[in-house]
Amino acid sequence: MHTDLWNHALALYARPGVETACLQLQALGGDVCLLLCATWLQRRAVAYSRDRAQALQALAESWQKEVVMPLRTLRQQWRDAAQQDAQLAVLREQLKGLELQAEKTLLQRLEACAQPWPSGAHGLEEDWLTRLAPDQARGHDALEQLRVAAAARQDAEDGA
């Protein structure tokens, strides 16, 4: 079982359909790192609380706004031009690597925030994934697909 958030996120993201679901949720305003963190918290059976959710959201919002989004925006702006300019294509790939590193750092920060919270809570009443998803993503097929993939990954690990 992957106990750290980064490896959990990598393993889950590699499952069939998860990348597509995450990109759809991102298009609906979801923060993919926050949603992957939600599946990790759910996996660890960490009890939900509004204060905990707000702490994660505040941390993610600021990092996304100030670090990840500027890198992503520039990378996307260079998409067409990089197809015609090999040197720009190399720089764009480097930006993509920086964007991934920024997301990894965010996941590490989310993990550090959540690490002290006890795991193994019984009778979870709240679903982290639903609570951390944007309103427009709740009830969306992509959110359910992410939930199913996370549960299937957990079942596979539990059976191993």
Side-chain angles (χ1 to χ4, degrees), residues 4 20 31 36 54 59 66 71 75 99-100 102 112 114 128 155:
D4 69 299
T20 301
D31 179 326
L36 292 171
Q54 288 174 340
L59 194 145
E66 295 177 22
L71 293 169
R75 179 181 56 81
E99 184 183 341
L100 180 62
W128 278 101
D155 290 345

Side-chain angles (χ1 to χ4, degrees), residues 21-50:
C22 286
L23 293 175
Q24 289 174 354
L25 292 167
Q26 185 173 292
L28 293 169
D31 179 326
V32 171
C33 291
L34 199 54
L35 295 173
L36 292 171
C37 180
T39 66
W40 179 71
L41 292 167
Q42 208 65 37
R43 169 76 173 104
R44 293 179 56 230
V46 172
Y48 172 87
S49 79
R50 186 181 324 175

Side-chain angles (χ1 to χ4, degrees), residues 44-111:
R44 293 179 56 230
V46 172
Y48 172 87
S49 79
R50 186 181 324 175
D51 288 342
R52 290 174 177 178
Q54 288 174 340
L56 294 173
Q57 289 168 321
L59 194 145
E61 183 180 330
S62 126
W63 190 259
Q64 286 285 356
K65 179 182 174 186
E66 295 177 22
V67 180
V68 176
M69 289 309 298
L71 293 169
R72 182 173 296 145
T73 299
L74 185 55
R75 179 181 56 81
Q76 290 172 341
Q77 287 173 351
W78 287 358
R79 180 180 298 138
D80 292 338
Q83 292 175 2
Q84 308 302 320
D85 184 332
Q87 292 171 323
L88 187 58
V90 169
L91 291 174
R92 186 172 181 272
E93 282 302 308
Q94 290 173 343
L95 267 179
K96 189 176 182 179
L98 286 173
E99 184 183 341
L100 180 62
Q101 184 61 46
E103 290 175 328
K104 180 178 183 180
T105 300
L106 174 54
L107 289 169
Q108 290 168 335
R109 289 173 178 222
L110 291 169
E111 178 180 354

Side-chain angles (χ1 to χ4, degrees), residues 6 16 28 33 50 60 70 88 127 129-130 136 143:
W6 172 248
L28 293 169
C33 291
R50 186 181 324 175
L88 187 58
D127 173 17
L129 192 54
T130 299
Q136 55 272 38
L143 191 63

